[in-house]
Amino acid sequence: MKFARGALLSRLITSLATLATAWVPAVTHAAPPAEVKLDYAYYSPESLVIKRQGWLEKELAPDHTQVKWVLSLGSNRALEYLNSGAIDIGSTAGLAALLGRANGNPIRAVYIYSRAEWTALVVAKDSPLKTLADLKGKKIAATKGTDPYLFTLRALHTVGLTRDDVELVNLQHPDGRTALANGQVDAWAGLDPHMAAAQIDDGARLLYRNVAFNTYGFLNAREDFIKEHPETLAHVLKVYEQARVWIAAHPDETAKIISEESKLSLPVAKLQLSRNDFSHPQPGAEQIDALKAAAPILTQEQLVKPGTDLNQVIDALIDVKFAQPVIASANSK
């Protein structure tokens, strides 16, 4: 009788275990999105090449994912689009991305599309201004929330000036160039390719250059997109890596694409391209160190909430893991 009860109990336990196993939900990946939304920008040559060549559409065709391209005229626009969900992936300067993340924009930097000297302080060819100190009391056009704006603040600090010592005129990058050419401002925080155009077409000169104050070109993705569609993100990065390698091998064709997309001359596009370094696409310690060196300006100019731990924000912003396998795979071919 005891044996029968034991056998019955054993069979019951086995049946319950089988039933429980049957109810364990299978681990599944989210279906590919119906659409991926990303920006293209004149300051991001890869984005222009990818858009022109149709590589991303081809890469995502097997998943039946459509591609929507949105033009970003500056980091501020790209960050606005990311924050609102108008795009899933967007290109910005590194310090601008940090400012966005510190103020609640849910993004991570997943790829470095270039290391560029894309901004400087520009004056008209006949300007009497010779040094940074000469900018005291002057009007400077700068797009708030972008690398050129933050570059300007850092530059002013090197000579003991703050934004209170100048009049910052918030204009989008192309409008800043126009304002400078028309004499409506004394200086302009330029951004390529418009800065290159001002030099070549208007005879403008660079009053202050500092490549160390130009932060890297970050490709940022919304955190919800990263979580829900990591495979699609990997496809996007694969195509960005393809474009990076192609640009190095085809500089003349790249300049032609930049020229045609931005509607600026070929010499302007070539000058812009010459100021880009595409050799370090992997986010990591280099960008972390650069941002930590630049971060104090955000606190000093009260651009973030008091008490914000910017080092912690930087560590949360830089995501090294997505680019690594993509770059390794490309280099192994």
Side-chain angles (χ1 to χ4, degrees):
M1 189 69 174
K2 288 182 180 178
F3 174 78
R5 286 178 179 172
L8 180 61
L9 181 60
S10 178
R11 285 197 297 272
L12 180 60
I13 291 171
T14 300
S15 297
L16 289 172
T18 302
L19 183 61
T21 301
W23 278 96
V24 172
V27 176
T28 59
H29 293 283
E35 180 181 67
V36 60
K37 306 181 293 292
L38 66 163
D39 76 345
Y40 67 104
Y42 304 141
Y43 51 84
S44 170
E46 285 99 328
S47 70
L48 302 181
V49 168
I50 293 166
K51 179 175 176 287
R52 172 66 65 88
Q53 304 286 19
W55 288 337
L56 187 57
E57 287 82 354
K58 182 178 179 181
E59 177 73 17
L60 296 177
D63 292 336
H64 306 289
T65 297
Q66 300 297 309
V67 177
K68 180 180 179 181
W69 292 100
V70 178
L71 175 63
S72 288
L73 292 175
S75 294
N76 62 324
R77 288 285 184 261
L79 288 166
E80 288 171 12
Y81 298 151
L82 284 162
N83 200 34
S84 68
I87 59 175
D88 306 304
I89 300 167
S91 43
T92 73
L95 191 55
L98 173 59
L99 177 60
R101 172 87 193 194
N103 288 323
N105 205 328
I107 58 172
R108 288 182 179 270
V110 294
Y111 187 83
I112 304 301
Y113 61 84
S114 79
R115 173 72 163 103
E117 186 189 4
W118 51 25
T119 189
L121 284 169
V122 188
V123 295
K125 61 180 178 181
D126 56 354
S127 171
L129 304 178
K130 302 296 182 184
T131 68
L132 280 174
D134 294 337
L135 290 172
K136 186 173 182 179
K138 305 299 183 182
K139 290 183 179 180
I140 305 173
T143 310
K144 192 172 183 179
T146 66
D147 217 40
Y149 180 87
L150 299 169
F151 176 94
T152 301
L153 298 181
R154 295 180 76 187
L156 292 173
H157 276 237
T158 65
V159 291
L161 300 177
T162 72
R163 59 178 167 175
D164 293 331
D165 295 308
V166 299
E167 183 181 344
L168 291 173
V169 182
N170 185 24
L171 294 173
Q172 202 64 43
H173 301 302
D175 299 326
R177 176 196 170 190
T178 301
L180 180 68
N182 292 340
Q184 296 167 306
V185 295
D186 302 292
W188 165 51
L191 181 74
D192 272 340
H194 310 291
M195 183 170 73
Q199 290 179 264
I200 290 178
D201 298 339
D202 307 338
R205 59 185 173 85
L206 305 186
L207 176 73
Y208 178 76
R209 300 174 71 173
N210 189 335
V211 66
F213 282 5
N214 286 251
T215 54
Y216 296 75
F218 282 16
L219 188 66
N220 309 287
R222 286 177 53 87
E223 288 186 318
D224 55 357
F225 185 83
I226 293 172
K227 181 179 179 180
E228 294 168 15
H229 302 293
E231 295 90 350
T232 303
L233 176 60
H235 286 305
V236 173
L237 297 189
K238 176 184 174 183
V239 173
Y240 258 83
E241 184 64 6
Q242 179 183 353
R244 183 185 72 85
V245 174
W246 188 89
I247 287 169
H250 302 85
D252 290 341
E253 292 93 328
T254 302
K256 186 172 184 289
I257 290 172
I258 293 172
S259 171
E260 291 173 355
E261 288 288 335
S262 64
K263 297 179 174 57
L264 295 170
S265 71
L266 190 58
V268 167
K270 287 184 175 180
L271 178 56
Q272 173 194 357
L273 199 59
S274 73
R275 294 198 274 236
N276 279 265
D277 177 359
F278 300 99
S279 62
H280 300 287
Q282 173 63 55
E286 193 174 358
Q287 289 74 37
I288 291 172
D289 290 345
L291 288 184
K292 288 185 177 178
I297 194 69
L298 303 183
T299 302
Q300 292 163 0
E301 292 288 344
Q302 300 178 342
L303 299 175
V304 295
K305 294 178 182 177
T308 300
D309 186 338
L310 288 173
N311 285 345
Q312 189 177 62
V313 176
I314 291 167
D315 292 338
L317 173 66
I318 305 294
D319 197 326
V320 304
K321 63 181 178 294
F322 286 100
Q324 285 175 337
V326 173
I327 297 168
S329 176
N331 289 338
S332 67
K333 294 178 181 178

